[in-house]
Amino acid sequence: VQEAPKERGFVENSSSPEERFQVATFALGCFWGGELEFMRREGVVGTKVGYTQGTVVDPSYREVCSGSTGHTEAIQVVFDSNIVSYRELVQLAMDRLGDENRYKENQVGNDVGTQYRHGVYYHSPEQRDIAQSVLEPYGPECQTECLPATKFWDAEEYHRGQSARKGDKTPIRCYG
């Protein structure tokens, strides 16, 4: 895989339990509904949508939707660990998926394809352990990935800012 140029949306990050502000990455199908769910959570200080877990440098939405890049639509979350824990965010993601979607492979709601698979992508061994402990009770049939986070590519400008702003109570319509 070609190394990502720093100026094109790739964000270096790590999440150590000693850091107040940490990064978490989730895939919950269509990124807008999931992003709004996280934006509404107290302690989340920033979100952005994009693509992760693939093999192509700086993929476009069209490329990701083709299924040829290996990427999934994702939400990167920056949170204040003094207010909300990583465990709470992983549980929020699983609650967002709901009972039915956790067990579907490459699908959330009516969105079908590898770009809509769901996952928890951890940034540290501590996050891995927490994510695994949250996912474990759902059993081996649960299709939610639990993998190390890879490069995160920002979605195109026209995909950003589609979710309502923090504090908005409008019902979330996009399921994923």
Side-chain angles (χ1 to χ4, degrees), residues 155-169:
E156 294 83 354
E157 188 67 39
Y158 67 92
H159 282 298
R160 296 184 220 153
Q162 296 297 317
S163 300
R165 294 296 118 212
K166 195 164 186 76
D168 184 354
K169 301 297 184 211

Side-chain angles (χ1 to χ4, degrees), residues 32-159:
W32 293 332
E35 181 187 33
L36 180 54
E37 190 78 49
F38 287 113
M39 288 171 69
R40 289 180 173 178
R41 182 63 172 90
E42 185 178 357
V44 170
V45 297
T47 62
K48 65 179 178 175
V49 297
Y51 317 109
T52 191
Q53 305 308 113
T55 58
V56 173
V57 172
D58 200 15
S60 69
Y61 178 71
R62 180 171 290 219
E63 289 171 319
V64 170
C65 287
S66 76
S68 65
T69 70
H71 290 86
T72 186
E73 290 191 17
I75 308 117
Q76 196 163 76
V77 178
V78 177
F79 65 100
D80 183 337
S81 62
N82 290 341
I83 299 173
V84 63
S85 70
Y86 181 71
R87 179 178 300 281
E88 290 172 299
L89 294 177
V90 175
Q91 190 60 61
L92 179 68
M94 295 307 290
D95 292 347
R96 175 77 187 146
L97 283 172
D99 291 334
E100 189 175 308
N101 289 304
R102 290 182 201 121
Y103 301 99
K104 292 181 179 177
E105 184 175 16
N106 298 326
Q107 180 177 356
V108 176
N110 293 324
D111 296 329
V112 180
T114 58
Q115 74 274 23
Y116 297 120
R117 70 187 184 273
H118 36 98
V120 178
Y121 306 112
Y122 51 84
H123 293 266
S124 69
E126 295 81 12
Q127 283 190 354
R128 177 199 60 219
D129 294 347
I130 292 167
Q132 288 174 343
S133 73
V134 171
L135 294 176
E136 194 263 331
Y138 298 109
E141 297 82 23
C142 180
Q143 297 296 310
T144 304
E145 295 180 326
C146 185
L147 299 169
T150 62
K151 290 175 176 53
F152 185 95
W153 299 96
D154 292 349
E156 294 83 354
E157 188 67 39
Y158 67 92
H159 282 298

